[in-house]
Amino acid sequence: MAVFVALGAFLMTLAGGWTALRVTDRRHLVLGLAGGLMLGVVGLDLLPEALDAAGEEVFGVPAALLLFVAGFLLAHLVERLLAVRQAAHGADEHNGRAPQVGLTAAAAMVGHSAMDGVAIGAAFQVGGGMGLAVALAVIAHDFADGFNTYTITSLYGNARRKALAMLFADAVAPVAGAASTLLFTIPEQALGCYLGLFGGVLLYLAAAEILPEAHHEHPAHSTVLCTVAGVAFIWLVVGVSG
C-alpha cells in the first residue's frame, strides 16, 4: 500500500519538473517561485520537523540547528571549491557557476525525496490513517521538489538531459524509499539531524544563488510576488496536511 501511494509522489514530482521546463521563457519568474518554494520548505516544513525529531542540545544549541548551519556552510564551501577548481583548469564556467554544484544539489533533493518515501512507509507501519496523512503531505510538496530539482540543475549550466535525468531520479526516489521500509526503518533522531543538514543546504541555494539570479536581469515586482507565492503555497500545504 505504501509503495502504491508513493506512486502519487512520483507523478507529482514529474508534474513539477514539467512545469519548470515549460515556462523557461519566464525564467526570472521560475527562479523567483523556486526560491520561495525552497524558503518555505526550509522554514515551514524541514526545520520544525528537524527540531522535533533531533531533540538533543549540544552545548546549549539544538543539534538540528547546528547541523542546519553546518549544511549552509557545507554548501558554500563545496560551491567555492568546485568553482575555484574549474577556474584553475581553465574550464568553461556558466556565469561563474560550476555545473557539479547543481548536480550535487539535485542529488541531495533526490536523497530527500527518498526519505519522504521512507516516511510514507514508516507511517503505514503505524496505521493506514497515519500513512495516508503523511502521504498527502509528501505528495503535495513533491510538486515543489520536482520544480526545484529541474530548476537548480539547469541553473548551474547542466545540459537539459542531465536535468531531466535528475528529475526522473527525484520522481523515483519516494517509491524506492517507501519500498525500503519493508526491510528497515531509520531512527527518529537520525532523521531529524538529516533534515537539519539538508535544510541548511537548501537555504544557501535559495538565498545565495537562486533569488539573486532571479533578480539579476529582471528586478520586477512580479518576481517578488512569485517568491511570496512560493512561500505561501508551502504554508498552505503544511497547514492542510498538519
Side-chain angles (χ1 to χ4, degrees):
M1 182 62 181
V3 176
F4 177 76
V5 171
L7 289 174
F10 170 85
L11 296 175
M12 189 63 77
T13 302
L14 290 181
W18 180 85
T19 301
L21 172 65
R22 298 298 295 176
V23 294
T24 51
D25 57 330
R26 294 289 184 270
R27 185 169 178 269
H28 60 293
L29 299 180
V30 171
L31 294 175
L33 179 62
L37 290 171
M38 293 171 74
L39 177 59
V41 166
V42 171
L44 307 179
D45 188 14
L46 293 184
L47 269 185
E49 290 186 24
L51 289 170
D52 285 343
E56 292 186 0
E57 289 191 354
V58 179
F59 205 62
V61 179
L65 290 183
L66 285 176
L67 286 166
F68 173 78
V69 174
F72 188 98
L73 294 175
L74 178 64
H76 176 62
L77 179 63
V78 168
E79 184 192 35
R80 289 297 87 208
L81 287 176
L82 288 176
V84 169
R85 182 169 175 269
Q86 267 206 336
H89 287 79
D92 177 41
E93 293 187 58
H94 302 269
N95 296 321
R97 292 182 170 84
Q100 296 95 324
V101 174
L103 292 175
T104 301
M109 297 290 290
V110 173
H112 176 62
S113 293
M115 297 301 293
D116 282 345
V118 171
I120 293 176
F124 269 102
Q125 291 178 358
V126 174
M130 175 66 73
L132 288 175
V134 172
L136 175 63
V138 170
I139 290 171
H141 90 250
D142 270 356
F143 179 88
D145 284 353
F147 190 98
N148 290 335
T149 298
Y150 182 86
T151 300
I152 201 166
T153 306
S154 57
L155 173 65
Y156 279 82
N158 290 287
R160 179 174 172 177
R161 60 181 176 80
K162 289 186 178 181
L164 290 173
M166 296 308 298
L167 172 63
F168 184 76
D170 191 45
V172 171
V175 181
S180 73
T181 58
L182 300 174
L183 304 175
F184 66 91
T185 56
I186 296 178
E188 183 180 13
Q189 187 174 2
L191 180 61
C193 291
Y194 160 77
L195 291 175
L197 184 71
F198 181 64
V201 172
L202 277 191
L203 182 63
Y204 176 82
L205 295 173
E209 298 295 328
I210 289 182
L211 290 177
E213 180 68 17
H215 292 277
H216 178 60
E217 295 181 356
H218 298 275
H221 295 305
S222 56
T223 306
V224 176
L225 290 176
C226 283
T227 302
V228 174
V231 175
F233 173 75
I234 298 299
W235 187 12
L236 176 64
V237 168
V238 171
V240 170
S241 61

